[in-house]
Amino acid sequence: MMLPWLNRVPLLLAVAWGLGGLETPAEASLCYEIFDDTSGSCVELLGDGLSQEECCLNLQYGFRLHKDAPCEACRPAAWSEWSPWTPCSVSCGEGTQQRSQACYGQGDCGQESRRWELKPCGLDGCCPVMGGWSEWAPWGPCSVTCLRGAQTRERTCTNPAPTCGGTCPGSNVETRSCDTQQICPTHGNWGSWGNWGACSATCTPEGPGPKPNKQRRRQCNNPAPSSNPPGNRCPGDDQESQACAGLPFCPQDGNWGTWKPFSDCSVTCAVGRRLEKRLCDSPAPKYGGQPCRASDTRSFACNTGVPCPVDGHWTEWTEWTPCSRHTFTGKIECREIPGFQRRTRKCVDRAHDGKRCPGELNEMRNCYSINMCTLPGIWTDWSPWGLCEPACGENPMRSRKRECKAVYPDYSMDIQAAAGSSKVFNTSFWGKPWPKCEPLEGQRLRLVETVPCQNVLPCSD
């Protein structure tokens, strides 16, 4: 479907950050190169002086009407992919999980902008069972070898052990004070500093910043720590530093100058990029310094004013027409007499010289009509449990079913095109037959079982 504003092609407009002399269009917005369908966010800003119509010349782009506005997609409205299922609503026993999808784009997807699904989870989990403590172990040794310290003892959560993630209440460690009745050692103290060593570099940086330094050392010998009982070593460092003076300047690296225009627009339709270039001259490297790092080019948005091509895509196939045979005057239903069916589709939304849809508009097939025919039937196995419904209403339920399915007649499914021809057509059954099964719990066509969903998550919107 072509958006109405795509018929109005604006004039060429180049928008550059930092370049003056251009007027801001009406309804100016922020234009982005990518609209992220997963999160509904805009990525890769192209420019902030484009109108919505100019940005959306490419339907893959996204825009914001102002910097605090939500991101919007240029394309026609469509549902996003389903979000991941949320964690189970309970850590044990039966709960529920939830997921949703949002409507992004221009227009709407119906009466809702977000829809939800809910399913059961944790059907086989177990709930935590608390454990019990063992007896305390003997007290451990004292934490010091002189004067007073502390000692601890422990116990384990094994009497009985917890299950399914349970724990034991309280602590597994107990502490009390202890006296060693021993004399403490002599601790060390620093002696005098030694002479300064050589400088750490032969040059000094120009301007502020770290400078070269020199160091000196000292020994822990005034007194030295005792060995029996052992004393502590001297606190602090055994060396210190001091800045050096009178050194020559070190090499100075270069710095970038101002940006200048460098290239034409990168695309021939919608909004693209234009390059700018800069020089390493503010200042240039000196004292043997390094040249400028990083890139000497950057890009900014430019608008060609030309819509991009939009390729066509097929609609869904129509339903197959009823199975019939125009050259046969009798009734073909419930008989081994082949007929024919036809279905069609349309190529839509092609615009601005986009590609045509590949493939055919029409499709035909051979068929046997079993519509309204009474056929023998057989009960299916139970289907998997379905989703919780309603997803956002009260008392959601889940269900499963068994159905009486028709046993199709043993007709030939390969039909020769014509006498003497080697070409064979596959044939399909068409119509809604009446299957006949033995009654199951009083039901003849369908048996349904429903149960309530447990620990249901609420919908956030």
Side-chain angles (χ1 to χ4, degrees):
M1 177 181 65
M2 183 185 298
L3 298 179
W5 48 264
L6 285 179
N7 292 323
R8 304 195 300 271
V9 179
L11 296 177
L12 180 65
L13 174 64
V15 181
W17 299 295
L19 297 179
L22 297 178
E23 296 183 358
T24 302
E27 302 178 357
S29 63
L30 287 78
C31 185
Y32 295 82
E33 194 170 10
I34 297 172
F35 177 81
D36 188 346
D37 188 70
T38 302
S39 62
S41 60
C42 287
V43 183
E44 294 293 335
L45 179 66
L46 285 171
D48 58 357
L50 300 169
S51 70
Q52 175 185 343
E53 289 81 1
E54 292 166 343
C55 182
C56 288
L57 289 172
N58 190 326
L59 298 185
Q60 302 303 315
Y61 288 0
F63 66 92
R64 298 180 192 271
L65 295 179
H66 53 80
K67 67 177 182 177
D68 296 323
C71 180
E72 297 185 48
C74 286
R75 66 161 192 247
W79 287 107
S80 69
E81 295 292 327
W82 283 103
S83 67
W85 288 104
T86 62
C88 197
S89 61
V90 294
S91 59
C92 67
E94 182 180 352
T96 55
Q97 293 176 277
Q98 186 185 81
R99 68 176 182 177
S100 65
Q101 58 180 179
C103 179
Y104 295 128
Q106 302 305 300
D108 59 66
C109 303
Q111 297 181 351
E112 301 175 325
S113 62
R114 182 173 290 273
R115 57 190 182 186
W116 303 84
E117 284 189 347
L118 187 71
K119 71 175 182 179
C121 59
L123 302 179
D124 299 323
C126 61
C127 291
V129 176
M130 303 298 287
W133 291 111
S134 67
E135 294 295 327
W136 286 104
W139 287 102
C142 196
S143 61
V144 296
T145 58
C146 67
L147 298 182
R148 297 185 64 84
Q151 58 185 155
T152 61
R153 63 177 181 176
E154 297 181 355
R155 58 182 177 176
T156 59
C157 184
T158 56
N159 188 31
T163 59
C164 291
T167 59
C168 288
S171 175
N172 67 327
V173 179
E174 188 176 66
T175 303
R176 71 179 182 183
S177 63
C178 54
D179 189 350
T180 65
Q181 299 182 354
Q182 298 292 324
I183 299 173
C184 285
T186 300
H187 301 307
N189 191 40
W190 292 112
S192 300
W193 286 103
N195 296 326
W196 289 104
C199 286
S200 60
T202 58
C203 66
T204 185
E206 185 179 35
K211 306 296 182 182
N213 57 55
K214 53 187 177 181
Q215 297 180 341
R216 63 178 181 177
R217 295 182 177 274
R218 58 182 176 176
Q219 293 184 349
C220 184
N221 57 7
N222 187 32
S226 62
S227 59
N228 189 19
N232 294 336
R233 295 181 58 82
C234 297
D237 297 329
D238 63 351
Q239 64 181 27
E240 68 175 1
S241 301
Q242 184 182 76
C244 297
L247 299 177
F249 285 124
C250 294
Q252 180 173 296
D253 298 337
N255 193 34
W256 293 110
T258 58
W259 292 99
K260 296 180 181 179
F262 182 66
S263 73
D264 295 330
C265 197
S266 62
V267 297
T268 57
C269 70
V271 179
R273 298 182 184 276
R274 179 173 291 171
L275 296 180
E276 289 183 332
K277 194 174 181 66
R278 59 183 177 176
L279 298 176
C280 184
D281 59 359
S282 294
K286 60 181 179 179
Y287 308 130
Q290 296 293 320
C292 298
R293 298 182 181 274
S295 176
D296 62 349
T297 59
R298 71 176 181 182
S299 64
F300 60 97
C302 53
N303 187 3
T304 66
V306 178
C308 288
V310 179
D311 297 338
H313 64 90
W314 290 114
T315 62
E316 295 293 329
W317 286 103
T318 61
E319 295 291 332
W320 288 103
T321 60
C323 185
S324 63
R325 185 166 180 170
H326 301 300
T327 59
F328 185 71
T329 58
K331 181 180 179 182
I332 69 170
E333 285 78 14
C334 312
R335 303 172 66 185
E336 192 174 358
I337 301 176
F340 302 93
Q341 291 178 279
R342 182 175 178 269
R343 65 178 183 176
T344 62
R345 58 182 177 177
K346 294 181 180 180
C347 184
V348 297
D349 294 342
R350 178 174 173 264
H352 308 299
D353 294 326
K355 294 180 181 179
R356 299 180 184 275
C357 300
E360 301 296 332
L361 292 170
N362 302 308
E363 190 173 61
M364 297 187 67
R365 70 178 183 183
N366 289 351
C367 56
Y368 291 118
S369 178
I370 56 172
N371 194 40
M372 307 297 290
C373 300
T374 300
L375 298 176
I378 186 172
W379 286 102
T380 65
D381 293 332
W382 282 109
S383 69
W385 286 103
L387 298 173
C388 296
E389 294 181 351
C392 296
E394 295 183 358
N395 302 319
M397 307 284 288
R398 56 191 176 98
S399 65
R400 62 177 183 174
K401 63 184 179 180
R402 295 183 69 181
E403 294 183 292
C404 178
K405 293 293 185 180
V407 178
Y408 290 162
D410 188 19
Y411 293 168
S412 173
M413 305 310 291
D414 296 323
I415 298 177
Q416 192 169 1
S421 173
S422 61
K423 189 172 183 180
V424 175
F425 294 103
N426 292 330
T427 307
S428 302
F429 286 105
W430 174 84
K432 184 177 181 182
W434 292 104
K436 188 174 182 180
C437 295
E438 290 295 326
L440 184 63
E441 296 186 20
Q443 301 297 318
R444 292 185 177 275
L445 293 177
R446 178 181 295 178
L447 181 63
V448 179
E449 182 181 5
T450 60
V451 295
C453 295
Q454 304 296 321
N455 299 301
V456 176
L457 291 170
C459 293
S460 59
D461 284 1

